[in-house]
Amino acid sequence: MHTGLHGGAALFGTEPPGLAARLVGLRPHQHRSSPLEHPRELPFVVLAGGPGPGRSAVLDELRDCYRGHTPVALIDGAQRRSCGPPPQRPPASWSPVADALITAAEQLAEPVTGAGRIIFPRLATGLLAVAAGGWSDRDVMRVRREAERILLLNDSASRLAGPWVGRVVARLTASMPGTGPVVEPVIEATLEAFSEGVSPTRLRLRKGATWYRGHPDAGGSPRLGLTLLSDRFRAGGDSRTHAERHLVRALLADLGDAYARPLRGTRRIGRPLVLIDNVQEPPGRGLMEAVLHDRADGIADRTAFFAALRGPAHPALRGAVRRTLPEVARHSGWTPDTSPSSRALLVSLPPQSPGDGDGAGDRTPGDQTPA
């Protein structure tokens, strides 16, 4: 378990509950609820320290504590930064942040005790619009692979899910004109496919697709909202940053919907958990800043975040509430102000002594994070 890791009882305790149990709402390694310290808005926890404090090992243990009990994803910002776009995919339609989002959603979708798979219609619709910015009818096989991976985020594990994905992929590829831009035809085909049927899953797909009517400057039109999202993503710079933040918001809205409207026979306890290693790298920082800004703007979510930071501080966390590990053992003492960075709780980890954690160190850009 956690005997050789940082934090022992402070992070992983059950009686009294440690920081993880108080923020996730579940006792580690158990499918038993725990009282929430922050029932309305929770802090974005950043574990910080110098070389060798075993931050990665702490995230690995958090994943093992909760995997199978509540939705969990572990991503590595350093790995996502270095992997680059898939072969033949134009850089204008790919980014490390978007890649990290689909990787996180694939992990969060897995069934847990008492509940089935989560689907991600908002995220999938947005990712399809972004990916379409790099599609053409000259590379249909690549288009099929990319579209299928995104559409499988809506796989509810029903016997009809596989055939439905195949039909939608065929519709998307058939919608692409022989010449000229393909974004708008693909978006139109996506909205049509997601609007068909009356089953609970299909109704959630329809709701997810129409969510983009609230996109800035969309004027209540989901088609225009998705077109603007794709255009701004391809524009790069600050425009891409804003587009990525909407994709992060889509992921969190899908998670919130899964908890707000559980299907018959399901029971979800505990918050979903997203773990980000090397949060100082651009993909991790992009995810973190999107969450911090939305929470500061009053856009709530139900997801617990724990991140590992290489080093004692970061400019993006200038206003974070700072605590040492012993100080959060019973209560975090976290109270944010109006700034986005104050939504973070920066917990300093002391240096480990030789042999702590069975030699577990930290991930570097060359390491691989399990999907």
Side-chain angles (χ1 to χ4, degrees):
M1 301 237 326
H2 54 258
T3 54
L5 292 177
H6 269 312
L11 283 176
F12 303 105
T14 58
E15 293 295 346
L19 183 63
R22 301 196 310 270
L23 296 186
V24 177
L26 280 176
R27 301 172 192 273
H29 296 288
Q30 303 175 34
H31 197 67
R32 295 175 56 207
S33 63
S34 178
L36 292 171
E37 179 180 340
H38 298 283
R40 295 183 179 273
E41 181 184 358
L42 65 166
F44 189 113
V45 179
V46 180
L47 306 172
R55 298 175 303 275
S56 297
V58 172
L59 296 188
D60 288 339
E61 177 66 12
L62 282 167
R63 178 191 57 192
D64 293 343
C65 282
Y66 290 109
R67 186 161 52 185
H69 299 294
T70 198
V72 180
L74 171 59
I75 56 176
D76 183 358
Q79 180 190 349
R80 302 258 74 80
R81 180 186 187 184
S82 63
C83 65
Q88 287 80 53
R89 182 161 181 178
S93 65
W94 181 93
S95 78
V97 171
D99 182 65
L101 286 173
I102 189 170
T103 301
E106 287 170 338
Q107 297 175 59
L108 291 163
E110 292 302 314
V112 298
T113 301
R117 290 177 62 86
I118 292 176
I119 65 171
F120 294 89
R122 296 170 181 81
L123 179 62
T125 310
L127 289 174
L128 284 171
V130 166
W135 288 352
S136 75
D137 67 341
R138 295 187 299 274
D139 195 0
V140 173
M141 291 304 297
R142 177 176 66 85
V143 172
R144 287 182 177 275
R145 288 194 303 271
E146 293 177 7
E148 182 177 80
R149 185 186 180 195
I150 294 170
L151 286 166
L152 283 172
L153 295 179
N154 295 316
D155 181 0
S156 62
S158 73
R159 60 185 179 86
L160 299 178
W164 177 82
V165 168
R167 288 195 299 271
V168 177
V169 169
R171 179 181 291 192
L172 296 183
T173 55
S175 73
M176 296 190 301
T179 58
V182 306
V183 172
E184 291 192 21
V186 167
I187 289 172
E188 192 68 36
T190 301
L191 292 174
E192 290 176 358
F194 280 26
S195 297
E196 296 172 349
V198 294
S199 69
T201 298
R202 297 295 182 265
L203 292 175
R204 291 174 67 190
L205 290 176
R206 184 180 306 166
K207 179 181 178 181
T210 58
W211 183 74
Y212 287 90
R213 66 177 52 169
H215 194 79
D217 304 319
S221 167
R223 180 189 60 78
L224 179 56
L226 287 161
T227 303
L228 290 170
L229 175 76
S230 182
D231 291 345
R232 289 163 178 166
F233 190 95
R234 291 196 309 277
D238 290 342
S239 294
R240 172 172 289 189
T241 298
H242 288 297
E244 289 172 338
R245 287 181 179 174
H246 279 276
L247 292 175
V248 175
R249 190 179 302 168
L251 171 80
L252 298 181
D254 284 331
L255 286 172
D257 194 48
Y259 277 73
R261 298 179 179 272
L263 297 177
R264 181 179 300 177
T266 67
R267 179 172 178 263
R268 297 188 182 278
I269 61 173
R271 289 165 165 154
L273 176 61
V274 175
L275 309 166
I276 307 174
D277 205 356
N278 288 300
V279 75
Q280 76 281 350
E281 299 292 344
R285 179 173 178 175
L287 291 171
M288 176 178 68
E289 290 189 337
V291 176
L292 296 179
H293 277 83
D294 271 6
R295 289 180 176 178
D297 288 341
I299 302 174
D301 65 83
R302 302 184 179 205
T303 302
F305 284 87
F306 280 77
L309 173 69
R310 187 178 295 274
H314 193 279
L317 298 168
R318 188 173 293 109
V321 176
R322 301 186 68 99
R323 296 287 183 268
T324 63
L325 196 55
E327 289 175 328
V328 301
R330 299 296 182 92
H331 194 277
S332 69
W334 173 79
T335 303
D337 56 33
T338 58
S339 67
S341 61
S342 73
R343 265 60 193 178
L345 173 64
L346 190 66
V347 180
S348 300
L349 300 182
Q352 281 188 308
S353 60
D356 282 351
D358 297 323
D362 295 308
R363 271 178 284 271
T364 62
D367 294 334
Q368 298 293 309
T369 302

